[in-house]
Amino acid sequence: MLFAIKGNICCSEDIEHIRCVENAYLVCEDGVCAGVFRALPERYAALPVTDFGDKLIVPGMTDLHLHAPQFAFRGLGMDMELMDWLKTYAFPEEAKYRELAYADRAYTQFADAMRRSATTRAAIFATLHVPATELLMEKMEDSGLISYVGKVNMDRNGPEYLCETSAQASLEATERWICETQSKFRRTRPILTPRFIPSCTDELMRGLRRLVEKYHLPVQSHLSENYSEIEFVQSLCRDSKFYGDAYDRYGLFGGDHPCIMAHCVHSGEAEIKLMKKNGVFAAHSPLSNANLSSGAAPVGKLFREFVNVGLASDIAAGETENLFRSIAAAIRASKLRWRLVDQKIYPLTVDQAFYIATVGGGKFFGKVGLFEPGYEFDAIVIDDSTITHPQELGLHERLERALYIADERHLCAKYVAGSRLF
Amino acid sequence: MLFAIKGNICCSEDIEHIRCVENAYLVCEDGVCAGVFRALPERYAALPVTDFGDKLIVPGMTDLHLHAPQFAFRGLGMDMELMDWLKTYAFPEEAKYRELAYADRAYTQFADAMRRSATTRAAIFATLHVPATELLMEKMEDSGLISYVGKVNMDRNGPEYLCETSAQASLEATERWICETQSKFRRTRPILTPRFIPSCTDELMRGLRRLVEKYHLPVQSHLSENYSEIEFVQSLCRDSKFYGDAYDRYGLFGGDHPCIMAHCVHSGEAEIKLMKKNGVFAAHSPLSNANLSSGAAPVGKLFREFVNVGLASDIAAGETENLFRSIAAAIRASKLRWRLVDQKIYPLTVDQAFYIATVGGGKFFGKVGLFEPGYEFDAIVIDDSTITHPQELGLHERLERALYIADERHLCAKYVAGSRLF
């Protein structure tokens, strides 16, 4: 696995700036970047080179939060808020995944879309069903992406048809699933996935904490998305000072384990401080947060205060797996929040949103999201030649335009940890 | 021009509901709808029928505000607000259209995108240059869309390289252009286009009023988009009670002529009342209003108080000509405004946003945007078969999903006033 690709290479230089290098080489050694070179150094002279000509070579993107079983109803039923939306759309659809034949059909479509997308890494919610979750893991493995997939835990407040019968049953199923999958795949790993506090009893959360300790697994869940949800959590966890504190009391809010919390729309100062202290990743889901009328997350604040922030499509509350759409949506949401709510939190720039989509979320997977030596070789190649223009455009302009307009049609190659997917 | 098309026909039933009729016929007589039929009536038994099978047949959409010369830099340079954005991006680009060769290249790309889009009708800003504006009109005529195109008027506060030398010169050029184009085309008509009050002296505005009277032309301009702009207008028109009142004092705010005002983000009660009284059309541009940090227009209020509202891409402050994107953006912006600003103005539903995109803007062009008898035969055919799903979906669900996700790839036919474009 020693090769180079050639083209116009665009990558974050720091959190504020994208650096574009025209007609350069990006070298891959054993799945890892060896550097960007204007001319190939002598030691690489014999390397096979794939020349992408005038196309843009960009780090792969990380989707830090999405629900695979909801892909089936993307773009549907968003005229309601979170709690009603869950009951009306998400739960009935997720219940179907008890049938493997249905899961097979649905997850095949999902994994195919992920393969064709700009996403190279993802943290994915499945459903509470172990067989369907394992099937999803197989399909994600075959897709070529590197991902975490979580069997969902929920043992309270769900509909009868989508609720585990006890904390004990949920924990046993989870542990069985972990043992079956933790070493089974090369690219696909289990992640503990309590749906959110309203769905999980204290006993279940305490049991999940034991699994974190026993198996050294990361955790993903939802945080401070919607006012009704936050109130509900407060009523369930009367001792907690805020939503994140409730997770933290269960030992499921980072610190000694990697942790992703989706949304953080209404996170206050104390919650943000704790996220930073514990290294919790905020999965910013701007399409979802607008679609479900949740609000606009203070992403500029999280970002500038050096909380870990990645971008998320949040399929299906976000209608598309195309993270370019989420980049533009993140910028727009931050602008509206700035205009309508708080002029102290400046809107995201294009370069910042790009950083979040690549480096920000990539960090959850290690050294991912940059082309610096030592970073895993995740890259997408954008052919923007069909996005017409009558004038000369610089590389940064071409990239900016692609981030606003492009989709999977414009991707002509994708590499994950050095392997070419297409 | 007597024929029928067959498929799943979806169209607004009233302002709150889309009606979908499975496997039905839509009959066209001389460019006008003759009705939707579950079975072809005997009198139409001999009609040629194009069978679109399981595809969705939907009214064409109206883009009530966009800038053709800005298409060149769509998706670029949106990290600033309106007035700086105009100076930095819009004005320098528009100045290039003094050269016909450049205009030819750029407008060919623009007209081609419009032809392939879901848009069947459009109200378009050109630049202040008469030759380039006439060229744009020729290209729009060839595109098959029905459109209004406006030579822009601007005789103050512009950069030296993009400012007419006097009101007199601007008016003479405009009158010459009107005479040359008003009867030249079948589908393309001139519309008076003072850029906005900051760009037009009193003398110019009074002269444009005389042209409205002399040639019975409609008017398009910008209204209450951005705080700095609004302040600027107030400083220029000290007697006016509000921005729209300033236009009204010039006689350029509807009443005796059709009038489109783009944005209306910060329109207050009095302005909304006057728009309603004068039948002014608000061109709602949600992508633009978020991209330029202008805000979120009170579109739900305008809509429910029966002000004329159409949807607008506002190329290039909006990054795409795809009005499906603007439909989703309009719904999202109304949700964020509801959540963040004013819980009395309910968010738009999908069915309402669809109405605005079809009937709302279509009304500016007469009987356009419905399939009822007497309405012009504007239709697009959506092939959503590549938007995979594992479950059964109803027609309304399929349409809803397409509105959130589809683009020109999914259009397999388009008719404008009975003529098939592709």
Side-chain angles (χ1 to χ4, degrees):
Chain A
M1 279 248 279
L2 185 60
F3 64 90
I5 60 177
K6 191 180 175 198
N8 298 309
I9 298 179
C10 309
C11 181
S12 290
E13 181 161 39
D14 55 43
I15 63 169
E16 302 288 351
H17 302 98
I18 297 168
R19 178 168 168 253
C20 299
V21 188
E22 203 172 349
N23 209 14
Y25 297 84
L26 176 62
V27 172
C28 177
E29 278 189 274
D30 293 328
V32 171
C33 295
V36 174
F37 305 96
R38 287 180 191 273
L40 267 191
E42 206 163 328
R43 67 184 184 281
Y44 295 132
L47 246 54
V49 175
T50 304
D51 190 343
F52 289 109
D54 193 38
K55 299 179 177 63
L56 304 173
I57 299 173
V58 171
M61 310 219 163
T62 293
D63 192 338
L64 216 45
H65 178 70
L66 73 168
H67 295 260
Q70 296 178 6
F71 187 68
F73 68 94
R74 66 200 182 284
L76 280 181
M78 298 193 286
D79 289 341
M80 43 184 74
E81 282 191 72
L82 174 66
M83 302 307 269
D84 289 332
W85 177 85
L86 284 172
K87 282 176 208 154
T88 312
Y89 292 97
F91 291 161
E93 179 63 27
E94 290 191 17
K96 297 179 188 168
Y97 291 75
R98 81 165 69 89
E99 286 179 35
L100 262 189
Y102 186 82
D104 191 22
R105 206 157 68 237
Y107 284 152
T108 299
Q109 294 172 358
F110 170 76
D112 183 52
M114 294 307 288
R115 194 186 63 79
R116 291 185 289 116
S117 74
T119 303
T120 51
R121 312 258 166 168
I124 303 171
F125 276 53
T127 62
L128 56 78
H129 314 94
V130 171
T133 302
E134 294 189 8
L135 183 68
L136 173 60
M137 294 176 88
E138 284 166 21
K139 296 201 180 287
M140 286 309 299
E141 182 72 12
D142 292 345
S143 78
L145 272 72
I146 291 177
S147 65
Y148 286 103
V149 173
K151 172 226 167 309
V152 173
N153 297 99
M154 43 197 302
D155 72 338
R156 69 171 171 187
N157 294 318
E160 211 172 298
Y161 60 81
L162 190 74
C163 196
E164 292 170 298
T165 50
S166 69
Q168 195 51 38
S170 176
L171 291 165
E172 281 172 13
T174 304
E175 190 157 6
R176 196 174 68 238
W177 162 70
I178 293 169
C179 293
E180 282 166 8
T181 60
Q182 66 177 344
S183 309
K184 187 172 177 187
F185 304 106
R186 201 157 66 86
R187 292 178 280 263
T188 315
R189 282 182 287 271
I191 181 169
L192 288 171
T193 306
R195 179 166 213 122
F196 62 162
I197 286 175
S199 291
C200 302
T201 59
D202 288 359
E203 190 189 343
L204 176 53
M205 294 298 262
R206 284 194 292 262
L208 290 173
R209 170 64 203 180
R210 288 193 299 275
L211 295 179
V212 167
E213 291 172 10
K214 186 169 174 187
Y215 295 101
H216 306 287
L217 291 181
V219 171
Q220 61 181 355
S221 195
H222 296 92
L223 180 70
S224 297
E225 176 176 2
N226 168 283
Y227 286 132
S228 307
E229 171 215 18
I230 293 168
E231 264 178 47
F232 194 14
V233 170
Q234 195 58 54
S235 75
L236 293 166
C237 305
R238 295 196 176 277
D239 292 340
S240 67
K241 284 179 265 169
F242 47 86
Y243 197 159
D245 180 50
Y247 282 114
D248 199 42
R249 284 164 189 243
Y250 296 122
L252 295 171
F253 200 63
D256 62 0
H257 58 275
C259 177
I260 298 168
M261 285 286 155
H263 305 305
C264 313
V265 175
H266 304 287
S267 296
E269 290 290 346
E271 189 159 281
I272 291 173
K273 203 170 151 189
L274 186 59
M275 291 177 72
K276 188 174 169 183
K277 177 169 165 262
N278 288 2
V280 170
F281 280 75
H284 178 49
S285 314
L287 285 170
S288 162
N289 298 335
N291 283 332
L292 296 186
S293 300
S294 303
V299 59
K301 183 181 172 75
L302 295 169
F303 181 67
R304 278 174 217 118
E305 295 191 1
F306 301 102
V307 175
N308 290 317
V309 188
L311 198 63
S313 68
D314 192 23
I315 290 285
E319 72 268 27
T320 172
E321 74 285 3
N322 176 2
L323 283 179
F324 296 152
R325 279 303 94 73
S326 288
I327 287 176
I331 298 169
R332 271 196 279 278
S334 74
K335 286 172 176 172
L336 286 181
R337 195 181 192 285
W338 171 81
R339 169 59 73 206
L340 302 177
V341 180
D342 185 352
Q343 282 83 50
K344 288 198 298 292
I345 304 180
Y346 289 105
L348 291 182
T349 64
V350 172
D351 288 27
Q352 291 169 342
F354 177 80
Y355 180 94
I356 290 172
T358 53
V359 196
K363 194 179 166 192
F364 190 79
F365 290 83
K367 296 185 89 167
V368 169
L370 289 173
F371 290 146
E372 285 179 19
Y375 272 73
E376 296 195 58
F377 192 93
D378 283 18
I380 53 174
V381 183
I382 303 174
D383 179 356
D384 63 342
S385 60
T386 55
I387 309 178
T388 57
H389 56 105
Q391 81 281 47
E392 291 285 313
L393 288 177
L395 291 180
H396 187 283
E397 289 175 309
R398 285 173 53 194
L399 175 59
E400 185 177 353
R401 215 171 52 135
L403 297 178
Y404 271 94
I405 299 174
D407 53 49
E408 72 280 4
R409 268 178 292 187
H410 304 99
L411 301 182
C412 60
K414 175 168 164 176
Y415 296 84
V416 180
S419 297
R420 185 166 180 177
L421 273 53
F422 58 78
Chain B
M1 279 247 279
L2 185 59
F3 63 90
I5 60 178
K6 191 179 175 202
N8 298 309
I9 299 178
C10 309
C11 179
S12 290
E13 180 162 39
D14 54 44
I15 63 170
E16 302 288 352
H17 302 98
I18 297 169
R19 179 167 168 253
C20 299
V21 188
E22 204 173 346
N23 208 15
Y25 297 84
L26 176 62
V27 173
C28 177
E29 278 189 275
D30 294 329
V32 171
C33 295
V36 173
F37 305 95
R38 287 179 190 273
L40 266 191
E42 206 164 328
R43 66 186 185 281
Y44 295 133
L47 246 55
V49 175
T50 305
D51 190 344
F52 289 109
D54 193 38
K55 299 180 178 65
L56 304 173
I57 299 173
V58 170
M61 310 219 162
T62 293
D63 192 339
L64 216 45
H65 178 71
L66 74 168
H67 295 261
Q70 297 178 7
F71 187 69
F73 68 94
R74 65 199 182 286
L76 280 181
M78 297 193 285
D79 288 341
M80 44 184 72
E81 283 190 71
L82 175 66
M83 302 306 269
D84 289 331
W85 177 84
L86 284 172
K87 282 176 207 152
T88 311
Y89 292 97
F91 291 162
E93 180 63 29
E94 290 191 19
K96 297 179 188 169
Y97 291 75
R98 82 164 69 88
E99 285 178 37
L100 263 189
Y102 186 82
D104 191 21
R105 206 156 68 237
Y107 284 152
T108 298
Q109 294 172 359
F110 170 76
D112 183 51
M114 295 306 289
R115 193 186 64 78
R116 290 185 291 116
S117 74
T119 303
T120 50
R121 312 257 166 167
I124 303 171
F125 277 53
T127 62
L128 55 78
H129 314 94
V130 170
T133 302
E134 294 189 7
L135 184 68
L136 173 59
M137 294 176 88
E138 283 166 23
K139 294 199 181 289
M140 286 310 300
E141 182 71 11
D142 292 344
S143 78
L145 271 73
I146 291 177
S147 66
Y148 287 103
V149 173
K151 173 227 168 310
V152 172
N153 298 98
M154 43 197 302
D155 72 338
R156 70 172 170 186
N157 294 319
E160 211 172 299
Y161 61 81
L162 190 73
C163 195
E164 293 171 298
T165 52
S166 69
Q168 195 51 38
S170 177
L171 291 165
E172 281 172 14
T174 304
E175 190 157 8
R176 195 174 69 239
W177 163 70
I178 293 169
C179 294
E180 281 166 8
T181 59
Q182 66 178 341
S183 309
K184 187 172 176 187
F185 304 106
R186 200 158 66 86
R187 292 178 280 263
T188 316
R189 281 183 288 272
I191 180 169
L192 288 171
T193 307
R195 180 167 211 119
F196 62 161
I197 285 176
S199 291
C200 302
T201 59
D202 289 358
E203 190 188 345
L204 177 52
M205 294 298 262
R206 284 193 291 263
L208 290 173
R209 170 65 204 179
R210 288 193 300 274
L211 295 180
V212 167
E213 290 173 8
K214 187 167 173 187
Y215 295 100
H216 305 289
L217 291 181
V219 171
Q220 62 180 354
S221 195
H222 296 92
L223 180 71
S224 299
E225 176 176 2
N226 168 283
Y227 286 132
S228 306
E229 171 215 18
I230 293 168
E231 264 179 47
F232 195 12
V233 169
Q234 196 57 52
S235 75
L236 293 166
C237 305
R238 295 195 176 279
D239 292 341
S240 66
K241 284 178 267 170
F242 47 87
Y243 197 159
D245 181 49
Y247 282 115
D248 199 43
R249 284 164 189 244
Y250 296 123
L252 296 170
F253 200 63
D256 62 1
H257 58 276
C259 177
I260 298 168
M261 285 287 156
H263 305 304
C264 313
V265 175
H266 304 287
S267 296
E269 290 290 347
E271 189 159 281
I272 290 173
K273 203 171 153 190
L274 186 59
M275 290 177 73
K276 188 174 169 183
K277 176 169 165 262
N278 287 3
V280 170
F281 280 73
H284 178 48
S285 314
L287 285 171
S288 163
N289 298 335
N291 284 332
L292 296 186
S293 300
S294 303
V299 58
K301 183 181 172 75
L302 295 168
F303 180 68
R304 276 171 218 121
E305 295 192 1
F306 301 102
V307 175
N308 290 317
V309 188
L311 198 64
S313 69
D314 192 23
I315 290 284
E319 72 268 27
T320 173
E321 74 285 3
N322 176 1
L323 283 179
F324 296 151
R325 281 300 95 73
S326 288
I327 287 176
I331 297 168
R332 271 195 279 277
S334 74
K335 286 172 175 172
L336 286 182
R337 195 181 192 286
W338 171 79
R339 169 58 74 207
L340 302 177
V341 180
D342 185 352
Q343 283 83 50
K344 288 198 297 290
I345 304 180
Y346 289 105
L348 291 181
T349 64
V350 172
D351 287 28
Q352 291 170 342
F354 177 80
Y355 180 95
I356 290 173
T358 53
V359 196
K363 193 179 166 192
F364 190 78
F365 290 84
K367 296 185 89 165
V368 169
L370 290 173
F371 289 146
E372 285 179 19
Y375 273 73
E376 296 195 58
F377 192 94
D378 283 19
I380 53 174
V381 183
I382 303 173
D383 178 357
D384 63 342
S385 60
T386 56
I387 310 178
T388 57
H389 57 105
Q391 80 280 48
E392 291 285 313
L393 288 176
L395 291 181
H396 187 283
E397 289 175 309
R398 285 172 53 193
L399 175 60
E400 186 178 352
R401 216 171 52 135
L403 297 178
Y404 271 94
I405 299 174
D407 54 49
E408 72 281 3
R409 269 177 292 185
H410 304 99
L411 301 182
C412 60
K414 176 167 164 176
Y415 296 83
V416 180
S419 296
R420 185 165 179 177
L421 274 54
F422 59 78

